[in-house]
Amino acid sequence: MKRNENFMQILMILIFNLGTFLTHGNPFNEATQTVIENNKLKVTVNEKTGSFTVLEKETNHLWKDDPWVNSAGLLTIKNKGKIEYLNISESKKVTVKKEGDHSIALSFINPVFTNGDVAKGVEIKTELRLVDSNAKLEVEVLSVNKGDYNLMELRYPTRAFSLETDVDKGAAVIPQKQGVICPSFISPMNGGSFCMWDDATYYRKTSGKLPLFNNGIGLTMPWWGTHTEKTAVVGIVDVSARPDMFYNINNNGQYLFNSKGEMSPYKRIAFLDPVWKINREKERKLITYEFIPKGTHVDMAKAYRKEAIKDGYFVSLKEKAKRDPNVEKLQGAIYMGVYGGYPHYVEMPGMAFTFKELQDIIKTTHDELGVDNAFFHAWGVFSNFVPNCWPINENLGGVKELKKAVDLTKKYGYLYSSYHAYSATLENDPEFNTELFAKDKEGKLKNTGSRWANIDQNKQLGLAKKSLHKEIAALELQADITDISFATFPDEDNTGLFNLAKYIDSLNLVNGTEHGQQQFIPYFDMFEGLTYLPNPNLVQFSHRAPLFNLVYHDAIAIFGKIQDPDNQISINGDFRVKSLRNILFGMGTTIFFSPYEFEGMKEMIQIANKVVSPVNRETFFAELTDHEYISDDFKLQRSKFSSGTEVIVNLGPVYQKTKEGEIIPAYGYKVTFSDGKVAEGSFKLTYN
Amino acid sequence: MKRNENFMQILMILIFNLGTFLTHGNPFNEATQTVIENNKLKVTVNEKTGSFTVLEKETNHLWKDDPWVNSAGLLTIKNKGKIEYLNISESKKVTVKKEGDHSIALSFINPVFTNGDVAKGVEIKTELRLVDSNAKLEVEVLSVNKGDYNLMELRYPTRAFSLETDVDKGAAVIPQKQGVICPSFISPMNGGSFCMWDDATYYRKTSGKLPLFNNGIGLTMPWWGTHTEKTAVVGIVDVSARPDMFYNINNNGQYLFNSKGEMSPYKRIAFLDPVWKINREKERKLITYEFIPKGTHVDMAKAYRKEAIKDGYFVSLKEKAKRDPNVEKLQGAIYMGVYGGYPHYVEMPGMAFTFKELQDIIKTTHDELGVDNAFFHAWGVFSNFVPNCWPINENLGGVKELKKAVDLTKKYGYLYSSYHAYSATLENDPEFNTELFAKDKEGKLKNTGSRWANIDQNKQLGLAKKSLHKEIAALELQADITDISFATFPDEDNTGLFNLAKYIDSLNLVNGTEHGQQQFIPYFDMFEGLTYLPNPNLVQFSHRAPLFNLVYHDAIAIFGKIQDPDNQISINGDFRVKSLRNILFGMGTTIFFSPYEFEGMKEMIQIANKVVSPVNRETFFAELTDHEYISDDFKLQRSKFSSGTEVIVNLGPVYQKTKEGEIIPAYGYKVTFSDGKVAEGSFKLTYN
């Protein structure tokens, strides 16, 4: 016995040392590994789990695999009516095979259900590839064999490139709407905001799934990333693919344990996963991770900008202005939405305006308020409900009086468009019927739950062609706004939408549309509302960041969202905060009002003309080159434009100092224009 | 043939006239009816469907039964894993039987599934009773025989007392948090707000279910109602019962048809239904409808106020001040929450304050800002995490320095409390363990998903008793705030909570707690945050109304919610709007800040002291007797207090005129004090 004990001891020491030797410089202590590397990156795959780490060599940062359970991916199966999430690293068989110097093939065969049952015949093949000598790693799901199972989604890679909350001082970067960053560490903030921030990290609301390209909570661009204090990684989705993005922001995974009545044993982490739809077959399930030493959200956006240019989404405003010089009238323009109850109602009592009243509003804006540039958008000039935007309403003054309004805008150098929509027929329209609705094969109506998207996209061009040319001729229009059709990029054949976009573009007017998506940038000059929703879901644990504008500022003019215009108080701020954000992000002011409110808009319009418009005018054609948070509480921010303009704003109620010692007052700003001139000021709340 | 035709014609005329005769004054054309009535009401039950109408005689208003399908009620059954809603009016057998002059017994036997299957053995018995000669109707679910089915809920009566959108010009009145009204007609508003309003009426979000007595989206009082321009009805739930409330606000029921790919054939209506939980057995499933000619939300609240007094929830602030005269120090007080990272963290870098710093803040508030009344609430004075609120942190200055701060508040006539909580143990506490957690019979942890409610309510008194008396002795305290325990009234044996409340009450301090529920009013003097959430769900189609204050203003002092203090901009407004709402509803100002923000709070504190405090001081012990919307856009509102104080505010950006021709400027107010003195003013946004 004694001898055996000694033998075992010596054996244990040997094994221990062997283990130490093998795992030197890598994070897996028990499994053997497969490695690929180039000058920039070293990718190490755990042969047991198939999960991988990436060493980014310049900053020597090791991006770990899933810190909770070393999972490579999570497979969603609907099994007997119940949805289960299978950790593919626990499959009966995991194979890891190096193919050449820069590629590793993986397979996950026969994954296992929670109760131990095996999903026989299910096989997932993936590949990791270094791209030449670049700091780029391609991660691709090559194939999924479904066996006899109802496979739905694959989160792959999962919990990779994560940040440990309050240890890694970085952020998760998410292009939801205009964009947000979610810091991975505690920072000073208002106590009430902090209560919500810290609590949210243990609650379900800091995790969820966001789709691409919708007008609700969706991502506007197919990329996301994480960064620490010293290095960043951004994942860019292949142009053919359409995964959702799963987010877990500083959450400790308690949501995985609530049903068991246990506390999560995991640390709080932040990560972003692609969620591939297994049944979406005509796509490459490919995400390319680019590693950027010293990178921030700005570098991530700029990495994607290159991709966007390559994919043809980027057409510059300069080019657009060459074709139609009227685009220049958007520079510094205040977007004035005059709402007469339309498109919801025709001649709505208490809200409709006559064309004489519209003329007065335009005149007052110029003569009394001294507004230099404006884009008037009149909601409610037709006798019919949408999608029949014609004829011009005689009861309100007819073509003659409306043309006078349009002529006034021209005289002042302003732009004008009536409100148009071709995607909706409304339940309260006396002429309502479902003839134009999109229908499925069985003749069922497709979009009964969304009144603004119920018309078949292939019928929309026809609706535009019925009347738009008549209106242009009658009023001699220079601009057009067509609402809502382009607020989403549906996951289907979008020929109908492109046909409508191309037709509108062919009219060579200044073209605007609601919200917008990157696919439609080549056809439009302005997007109304690619900003933030009045009620977003990430707001308690994020800071707004101009991600969309860092990519597209010089390709499309952005104004506020009509459901949350700059004159309204909302979760996104009041006029003070929104105006400051406008100059910081390089956006134009949006004032959206019902006629009876005009008197109350005047003060804000004048302030916008003095504070926001000059910055928007100078930066209009320029690239937004930089954006940074320069105070600990993220309220003080600085942006730079290729025009040479530099903007500092303080979005908070307390004065702040820059690193250079400059004081920016509460709700204050400092703009340095390209000629060196400085505009400084702040918003004050007083009473009398 | 000719003769037959004549005969038929005569017969038809006869039948028609007979029909007219029979249906005179009632809405059912085909079924026979059972009627009960008194001088005020006539209740007519359709014998086929069991649904009923109520004629309110004074105004001759007929409250119809379900205008969509004449359903009496909807039964939720979980059948083979699928949830189905059965219209009980389509049961195989419906019986309607008059019992005496004032009572009708109904039974619904063997309801039918959508596919035609019969839920055999299921039987629902209900009763309708007129209460003496009052305008009151009791509606009670007497029994539910479940047969072999998994019955979950019964919506009964369903879609009764509904308003037809834009025909009935009234409102649905919902005591969610402080309270809201949802108008049943189109009214002028900002265009963006109107877009959301009108669209929401066709979308699912205008329907849903609200629970009673939670801190999230819940109702704070067990009543709701609808009113037209001329008459109102309020349903008050029996004190033993705990139904949810289903709301459908101006919705056309499209949500019932989306899955079929069809358009809803129904009109838009507003209604509020009780949803009885069938398995909650120890309760009377009774709702008493009171009919109020010319009634509004004010009369509804006042009807419930009588009930609240009867049920013992109402103890006046006057009585409380008699017992502890320090309660008078709450009059006109600004509630100053100084947040040092606690309770989430102890000595949190960048946010913790020393007691010397706290003294400075208190001194500045008095000497520099000239604040007359204040309640200082210091978050972060202990060395341990909650629920161990002791000892006082020596690193921050210890008892000696904190006592100096407390002494200063006494010198100035202010109140002081440290932050306490006994309901939570936090995951990030180095001492974290689950020993105190509420557990189920199997030992599973109950509230893993809510860190602020994880401690067993029966262990909370013990935690308070460990240290609170030591702190009171050390600092000679006059006030206490105990957070969060009383923010809900869980649907269980609440002896533990009452024991804690009674103990705190026995200390005879000025007592405050977070949010609060009516059951705890007898034990507390102030509720922090019985206002609105930063992110409520009804906001797109409602206006805020002081329903809770109409019932309880003179029983409990209400201040803002710390997650949404008056100094922060949110969906509920910015400082301007919140201050105006404070004077209108008779609430105190809440300024909640991290120490580094104090400088930025000063201006708002001074304005609050001048504008809000004087009104709060005069109205503090008074009943809120009236509240009305006096402009078409609901922005201009007037309230009256039993102190003789009258407040008019304009919550919008445009000046408005009262009916008497008085102009109230944008974000302006006019207060007429009891001595006839008038305070007028408005908030201005300027920049320089």
Side-chain angles (χ1 to χ4, degrees):
Chain A
M1 287 293 277
K2 186 90 179 161
R3 206 177 140 191
N4 275 357
E5 269 184 37
N6 278 344
F7 174 70
M8 286 302 286
Q9 237 172 33
I10 291 164
L11 193 66
M12 288 305 287
I13 290 166
L14 257 170
I15 290 170
F16 182 75
N17 284 334
L18 192 69
T20 309
F21 175 72
L22 281 174
T23 58
H24 182 71
N26 85 60
F28 309 123
N29 292 317
E30 285 161 38
T32 48
Q33 305 128 19
T34 304
V35 174
I36 49 175
E37 66 181 309
N38 63 18
N39 284 338
K40 306 279 175 63
L41 304 176
K42 178 184 177 187
V43 181
T44 305
V45 180
N46 178 325
E47 291 182 7
K48 184 166 167 276
T49 61
S51 61
F52 63 89
T53 67
V54 179
L55 180 72
E56 187 269 284
K57 294 181 176 179
E58 186 176 325
T59 63
N60 199 36
H61 183 80
L62 183 75
W63 291 103
K64 290 179 203 155
D65 61 340
D66 169 13
W68 289 348
V69 293
N70 300 103
S71 171
L74 296 166
L75 180 66
T76 313
I77 303 193
K78 198 167 181 181
N79 190 28
K80 295 167 196 161
K82 201 180 135 199
I83 286 174
E84 289 203 52
Y85 303 93
L86 279 56
N87 175 356
I88 62 171
S89 294
E90 289 171 355
S91 295
K92 283 291 167 190
K93 192 174 172 191
V94 174
T95 70
V96 179
K97 197 179 155 199
K98 194 160 167 175
E99 296 189 324
D101 281 350
H102 282 172
S103 182
I104 296 174
L106 297 100
S107 68
F108 303 87
I109 302 163
N110 298 338
V112 181
F113 288 98
T114 326
N115 68 357
D117 287 355
V118 176
K120 273 182 201 154
V122 172
E123 180 172 354
I124 297 160
K125 287 188 176 176
T126 70
E127 203 166 61
L128 311 179
R129 296 182 299 266
L130 289 170
V131 182
D132 308 324
S133 56
N134 297 330
K136 283 188 187 175
L137 174 68
E138 292 180 345
V139 178
E140 183 164 4
V141 179
L142 294 177
S143 68
V144 178
N145 193 329
K146 291 187 266 184
D148 294 328
Y149 291 89
N150 183 1
L151 305 194
M152 301 172 73
E153 292 175 342
L154 178 65
R155 263 169 65 188
Y156 183 83
T158 193
R159 302 176 195 135
F161 314 114
S162 66
L163 306 169
E164 186 178 338
T165 302
D166 229 26
V167 173
D168 292 313
K169 305 217 160 166
V173 178
I174 306 177
Q176 188 193 37
K177 320 299 291 177
Q178 179 62 235
V180 298
I181 68 145
C182 306
S184 60
F185 59 98
I186 293 173
S187 59
M189 61 182 98
N190 179 268
S193 304
F194 184 73
C195 286
M196 293 191 283
W197 185 92
D198 199 73
D199 290 347
T201 65
Y202 294 98
Y203 291 166
R204 183 155 249 142
K205 67 176 118 181
T206 38
S207 71
K209 222 164 55 172
L210 300 177
L212 279 176
F213 309 132
N214 81 9
N215 184 32
I217 57 166
L219 305 186
T220 52
M221 298 179 285
W223 63 269
W224 50 81
T226 45
H227 71 81
T228 68
E229 273 180 302
K230 60 179 186 176
T231 194
V233 56
V234 56
I236 299 177
V237 173
D238 187 76
V239 71
S240 72
R242 191 140 170 162
D244 291 339
M245 187 201 77
F246 182 91
Y247 62 92
N248 181 96
I249 305 298
N250 304 317
N251 193 299
N252 73 336
Q254 183 59 49
Y255 54 84
L256 299 170
F257 294 88
N258 285 339
S259 63
K260 299 180 200 170
E262 295 169 11
M263 298 309 290
S264 167
Y266 305 146
K267 286 183 176 170
R268 295 196 282 182
I269 56 176
F271 63 83
L272 305 172
D273 288 352
V275 186
W276 307 102
K277 291 161 203 158
I278 288 170
N279 295 315
R280 195 175 186 280
E281 284 171 355
K282 286 181 193 165
E283 67 172 22
R284 271 190 87 177
K285 292 181 176 18
L286 168 65
I287 183 166
T288 303
Y289 291 98
E290 186 171 340
F291 297 81
I292 312 171
K294 300 189 198 72
T296 68
H297 61 289
V298 175
D299 306 278
M300 293 182 198
K302 294 305 177 188
Y304 180 69
R305 182 177 160 99
K306 282 180 206 146
E307 205 56 41
I309 292 170
K310 217 170 68 188
D311 292 340
Y313 299 141
F314 188 98
V315 176
S316 76
L317 279 165
K318 258 187 203 149
E319 289 170 69
K320 290 170 183 171
K322 259 182 221 158
R323 213 183 97 195
D324 178 4
N326 281 327
V327 168
E328 288 171 20
K329 293 185 182 172
L330 280 174
Q331 282 187 86
I334 299 176
Y335 176 57
M336 302 272 289
V338 189
Y339 179 83
Y342 194 83
H344 296 82
Y345 297 89
V346 169
E347 293 178 42
M348 184 168 149
M351 287 171 87
F353 52 83
T354 66
F355 302 149
K356 266 219 161 8
E357 286 164 343
L358 181 62
Q359 291 163 31
D360 286 342
I361 290 173
I362 295 167
K363 235 181 273 175
T364 303
T365 301
H366 184 265
D367 295 349
E368 181 186 329
L369 307 181
V371 166
D372 300 296
N373 299 93
F375 188 167
F376 271 89
H377 187 189
W379 297 53
V381 307
F382 303 112
S383 308
N384 286 307
F385 284 71
V386 293
N388 301 304
C389 306
W390 189 255
I392 288 166
N393 195 322
E394 287 299 324
N395 297 338
L396 302 176
V399 170
K400 193 179 150 205
E401 291 300 324
L402 185 55
K403 180 142 193 313
K404 281 189 198 163
V406 176
D407 287 347
L408 274 176
T409 61
K410 285 187 192 164
K411 180 177 154 192
Y412 303 144
Y414 296 172
L415 292 167
Y416 170 90
S417 172
S418 309
Y419 176 93
H420 311 99
Y422 309 111
S423 63
T425 169
L426 300 187
E427 299 87 338
N428 55 299
D429 179 354
E431 313 277 314
F432 176 79
N433 66 65
T434 59
E435 211 174 288
L436 297 164
F437 271 48
K439 297 182 185 74
D440 68 12
K441 282 175 199 162
E442 296 157 3
K444 275 189 188 177
L445 307 178
K446 266 179 166 175
N447 297 317
T448 57
S450 179
R451 63 196 322 218
W452 291 102
N454 53 26
I455 292 182
D456 188 338
Q457 59 163 270
N458 294 307
K459 294 181 178 158
Q460 295 185 27
L461 173 60
L463 291 164
K465 280 189 165 173
K466 264 170 69 180
S467 56
L468 186 52
H469 63 287
K470 293 185 211 167
E471 188 196 347
I472 293 170
L475 302 174
E476 295 174 22
L477 295 176
Q478 298 179 336
D480 173 77
I481 292 182
T482 291
D483 200 38
I484 198 73
S485 282
F486 308 101
T488 63
F489 187 72
D491 190 9
E492 57 187 73
D493 174 7
N494 281 314
T495 310
L497 291 183
F498 281 115
N499 286 343
L500 178 62
K502 283 173 190 168
Y503 172 69
I504 293 171
D505 185 41
S506 76
L507 303 171
N508 209 26
L509 306 171
V510 177
N511 288 328
T513 191
E514 182 189 356
H515 192 280
Q517 293 290 350
Q518 64 174 10
Q519 293 82 354
F520 303 116
I521 289 177
Y523 312 103
F524 289 93
D525 305 301
M526 74 89 93
F527 283 168
E528 157 196 309
L530 219 159
T531 46
Y532 297 96
L533 279 179
N535 212 356
N537 57 340
L538 304 182
V539 83
Q540 280 177 16
F541 43 93
S542 73
H543 297 289
R544 294 165 187 84
L547 303 183
F548 194 85
N549 279 10
L550 282 162
V551 177
Y552 289 120
H553 180 268
D554 42 342
I556 190 87
I558 302 291
F559 292 86
K561 195 148 176 66
I562 63 103
Q563 287 91 348
D564 186 24
D566 298 337
N567 47 291
Q568 290 275 91
I569 302 163
S570 80
I571 199 164
N572 294 315
D574 59 6
F575 182 72
R576 297 172 293 179
V577 170
K578 289 174 178 173
S579 295
L580 292 168
R581 195 177 294 126
N582 283 341
I583 62 175
L584 182 74
F585 288 10
M587 302 190 297
T589 294
T590 299
I591 304 286
F592 190 70
F593 58 100
S594 298
Y596 84 98
E597 295 179 302
F598 182 53
E599 188 62 35
M601 300 298 112
K602 288 182 175 176
E603 194 176 30
M604 293 186 272
I605 292 168
Q606 285 177 302
I607 295 177
N609 189 55
K610 281 179 199 150
V611 176
V612 180
S613 290
V615 184
N616 187 249
R617 205 170 291 127
E618 175 161 298
T619 62
F620 187 82
F621 290 109
E623 182 182 344
L624 174 60
T625 51
D626 199 14
H627 170 259
E628 50 181 335
Y629 303 93
I630 53 177
S631 68
D632 287 345
D633 68 355
F634 291 79
K635 295 283 191 191
L636 197 62
Q637 299 177 34
R638 172 162 43 209
S639 63
K640 291 176 186 167
F641 296 84
S642 62
S643 50
T645 324
E646 184 182 303
V647 178
I648 305 178
V649 304
N650 181 353
L651 298 174
V654 195
Y655 76 85
Q656 303 256 9
K657 260 187 200 171
T658 65
K659 272 169 219 157
E660 297 80 28
E662 244 178 324
I663 288 176
I664 309 292
Y667 301 119
Y669 61 90
K670 179 182 177 184
V671 179
T672 311
F673 288 96
S674 57
D675 61 4
K677 280 191 189 147
V678 170
E680 280 179 289
S682 67
F683 289 95
K684 291 249 179 293
L685 194 64
T686 59
Y687 89 103
N688 58 11
Chain B
M1 286 294 277
K2 186 94 180 159
R3 209 176 135 186
N4 275 355
E5 268 183 39
N6 277 346
F7 175 73
M8 285 303 285
Q9 236 170 32
I10 291 163
L11 193 67
M12 289 303 288
I13 289 166
L14 258 171
I15 290 170
F16 182 76
N17 284 335
L18 193 70
T20 309
F21 174 73
L22 281 173
T23 58
H24 182 69
N26 87 58
F28 309 123
N29 293 317
E30 286 161 38
T32 47
Q33 306 130 18
T34 304
V35 173
I36 48 176
E37 68 180 309
N38 63 17
N39 284 339
K40 305 281 176 61
L41 305 176
K42 179 185 178 186
V43 181
T44 306
V45 180
N46 178 325
E47 292 183 7
K48 183 164 169 273
T49 60
S51 60
F52 64 88
T53 67
V54 179
L55 179 72
E56 188 268 284
K57 294 182 178 180
E58 185 176 327
T59 62
N60 200 34
H61 182 81
L62 183 76
W63 290 102
K64 291 180 203 156
D65 60 341
D66 168 13
W68 288 348
V69 293
N70 300 102
S71 171
L74 296 166
L75 180 67
T76 313
I77 304 193
K78 197 168 182 181
N79 191 28
K80 295 168 195 159
K82 201 180 136 196
I83 286 174
E84 289 203 52
Y85 303 94
L86 279 56
N87 176 357
I88 62 171
S89 294
E90 290 172 355
S91 296
K92 283 289 167 191
K93 192 174 171 191
V94 175
T95 71
V96 178
K97 197 179 154 200
K98 194 160 168 176
E99 297 189 324
D101 280 351
H102 281 172
S103 182
I104 296 174
L106 297 100
S107 68
F108 303 87
I109 302 163
N110 296 339
V112 181
F113 289 97
T114 326
N115 68 357
D117 287 355
V118 176
K120 273 184 203 153
V122 172
E123 179 172 354
I124 296 160
K125 288 189 177 174
T126 69
E127 203 166 62
L128 311 180
R129 294 183 299 267
L130 289 171
V131 182
D132 308 324
S133 57
N134 298 328
K136 283 188 187 176
L137 174 68
E138 292 180 345
V139 178
E140 184 164 5
V141 180
L142 295 177
S143 69
V144 177
N145 193 330
K146 291 187 266 186
D148 294 329
Y149 291 89
N150 184 2
L151 306 194
M152 302 171 73
E153 293 176 342
L154 178 65
R155 263 170 64 188
Y156 182 82
T158 194
R159 301 176 196 137
F161 313 114
S162 66
L163 306 169
E164 186 179 338
T165 302
D166 230 25
V167 173
D168 292 313
K169 304 217 162 166
V173 177
I174 306 177
Q176 188 193 37
K177 320 298 290 178
Q178 179 61 238
V180 299
I181 67 146
C182 307
S184 60
F185 58 99
I186 292 173
S187 58
M189 61 181 98
N190 178 268
S193 303
F194 184 75
C195 286
M196 292 191 284
W197 185 93
D198 199 73
D199 290 348
T201 65
Y202 293 98
Y203 291 167
R204 182 155 250 142
K205 66 176 120 180
T206 39
S207 72
K209 222 165 55 174
L210 300 177
L212 278 175
F213 310 133
N214 82 8
N215 184 32
I217 56 166
L219 305 186
T220 52
M221 297 178 286
W223 63 270
W224 50 80
T226 45
H227 72 81
T228 67
E229 273 181 301
K230 59 177 187 178
T231 194
V233 55
V234 57
I236 299 178
V237 173
D238 186 76
V239 70
S240 71
R242 191 140 170 161
D244 292 340
M245 187 203 76
F246 182 90
Y247 61 91
N248 181 97
I249 305 299
N250 304 317
N251 193 297
N252 73 337
Q254 182 60 48
Y255 55 83
L256 299 170
F257 294 88
N258 285 339
S259 63
K260 300 180 199 168
E262 294 171 10
M263 299 309 289
S264 167
Y266 305 146
K267 286 182 176 171
R268 296 196 281 183
I269 56 177
F271 63 84
L272 306 172
D273 288 351
V275 186
W276 307 101
K277 290 160 203 158
I278 288 170
N279 295 314
R280 196 176 186 280
E281 283 170 357
K282 288 183 192 162
E283 68 172 21
R284 271 189 88 176
K285 293 182 176 15
L286 167 64
I287 183 165
T288 303
Y289 291 99
E290 187 171 339
F291 297 81
I292 312 170
K294 299 188 198 73
T296 68
H297 61 289
V298 175
D299 306 277
M300 294 183 198
K302 293 305 177 189
Y304 180 69
R305 181 176 159 100
K306 283 181 206 145
E307 205 56 40
I309 291 171
K310 216 170 67 188
D311 293 339
Y313 299 141
F314 187 97
V315 176
S316 77
L317 280 165
K318 258 187 203 149
E319 290 170 67
K320 290 170 184 172
K322 259 182 219 159
R323 215 183 96 195
D324 178 4
N326 281 325
V327 169
E328 288 171 17
K329 294 185 181 173
L330 279 174
Q331 283 186 84
I334 299 175
Y335 177 58
M336 301 271 289
V338 190
Y339 179 84
Y342 194 84
H344 296 82
Y345 297 90
V346 169
E347 293 177 40
M348 185 169 150
M351 287 171 87
F353 52 84
T354 66
F355 303 149
K356 264 215 166 0
E357 285 165 344
L358 182 61
Q359 291 162 32
D360 286 343
I361 289 173
I362 295 167
K363 236 180 274 177
T364 304
T365 300
H366 184 264
D367 296 349
E368 181 186 330
L369 307 181
V371 166
D372 300 296
N373 299 93
F375 188 167
F376 271 89
H377 187 189
W379 297 53
V381 307
F382 303 112
S383 307
N384 286 306
F385 283 72
V386 291
N388 301 303
C389 306
W390 189 256
I392 288 166
N393 195 322
E394 287 298 323
N395 297 337
L396 303 176
V399 170
K400 194 180 149 202
E401 291 300 325
L402 186 54
K403 179 141 193 315
K404 281 189 199 164
V406 176
D407 288 346
L408 274 177
T409 60
K410 285 187 193 166
K411 181 177 154 192
Y412 303 144
Y414 296 173
L415 292 167
Y416 170 90
S417 173
S418 310
Y419 175 93
H420 311 99
Y422 310 111
S423 63
T425 171
L426 301 187
E427 299 86 338
N428 55 298
D429 178 355
E431 313 278 316
F432 174 80
N433 65 66
T434 59
E435 212 174 288
L436 297 163
F437 271 50
K439 297 181 185 78
D440 68 11
K441 284 174 199 163
E442 297 158 1
K444 275 188 186 178
L445 307 178
K446 266 180 166 176
N447 296 317
T448 57
S450 178
R451 62 195 324 219
W452 291 102
N454 53 26
I455 291 182
D456 188 338
Q457 58 163 271
N458 294 307
K459 292 179 178 160
Q460 295 185 25
L461 173 59
L463 291 164
K465 280 189 163 174
K466 265 170 69 180
S467 57
L468 186 52
H469 62 289
K470 294 184 209 167
E471 189 196 346
I472 293 170
L475 302 175
E476 296 173 22
L477 294 177
Q478 298 180 337
D480 173 76
I481 291 180
T482 290
D483 199 39
I484 197 73
S485 281
F486 308 101
T488 63
F489 187 71
D491 190 9
E492 57 186 73
D493 175 7
N494 282 314
T495 311
L497 291 183
F498 280 116
N499 286 343
L500 178 61
K502 284 173 190 167
Y503 172 69
I504 294 171
D505 185 40
S506 75
L507 303 170
N508 208 25
L509 307 171
V510 177
N511 288 327
T513 191
E514 183 189 356
H515 191 278
Q517 293 291 349
Q518 63 174 12
Q519 293 82 352
F520 303 115
I521 288 176
Y523 313 104
F524 290 93
D525 306 301
M526 73 88 95
F527 283 168
E528 157 195 309
L530 220 159
T531 46
Y532 297 96
L533 281 179
N535 212 356
N537 56 341
L538 304 183
V539 82
Q540 281 177 15
F541 44 94
S542 73
H543 297 289
R544 293 164 187 86
L547 302 183
F548 195 84
N549 279 10
L550 282 162
V551 177
Y552 289 120
H553 181 267
D554 42 341
I556 190 88
I558 302 292
F559 292 86
K561 194 147 179 67
I562 63 104
Q563 287 90 350
D564 186 24
D566 298 336
N567 48 292
Q568 291 273 94
I569 302 163
S570 80
I571 199 165
N572 294 313
D574 58 7
F575 182 71
R576 295 173 293 179
V577 170
K578 289 174 178 172
S579 295
L580 292 168
R581 194 177 293 127
N582 284 340
I583 61 173
L584 182 74
F585 287 11
M587 303 190 296
T589 294
T590 298
I591 304 287
F592 191 71
F593 58 101
S594 298
Y596 84 97
E597 295 179 303
F598 182 54
E599 188 63 35
M601 300 298 112
K602 288 182 175 176
E603 195 177 29
M604 291 186 273
I605 291 168
Q606 286 176 301
I607 295 177
N609 189 56
K610 280 180 201 152
V611 176
V612 180
S613 290
V615 184
N616 187 249
R617 205 170 292 125
E618 174 162 298
T619 62
F620 187 81
F621 290 109
E623 182 183 343
L624 175 59
T625 51
D626 199 15
H627 170 258
E628 50 181 335
Y629 302 93
I630 53 177
S631 69
D632 288 345
D633 69 354
F634 292 79
K635 295 283 190 192
L636 197 62
Q637 300 176 33
R638 173 162 43 207
S639 63
K640 290 175 186 167
F641 296 84
S642 62
S643 51
T645 325
E646 185 182 303
V647 179
I648 305 178
V649 305
N650 180 353
L651 299 173
V654 195
Y655 76 86
Q656 302 257 8
K657 258 189 202 171
T658 65
K659 271 169 222 160
E660 296 79 29
E662 247 179 321
I663 288 176
I664 309 293
Y667 301 119
Y669 60 92
K670 178 182 177 184
V671 179
T672 310
F673 288 97
S674 56
D675 61 3
K677 279 189 189 149
V678 169
E680 283 179 286
S682 67
F683 290 94
K684 291 247 178 295
L685 194 65
T686 58
Y687 88 103
N688 58 14

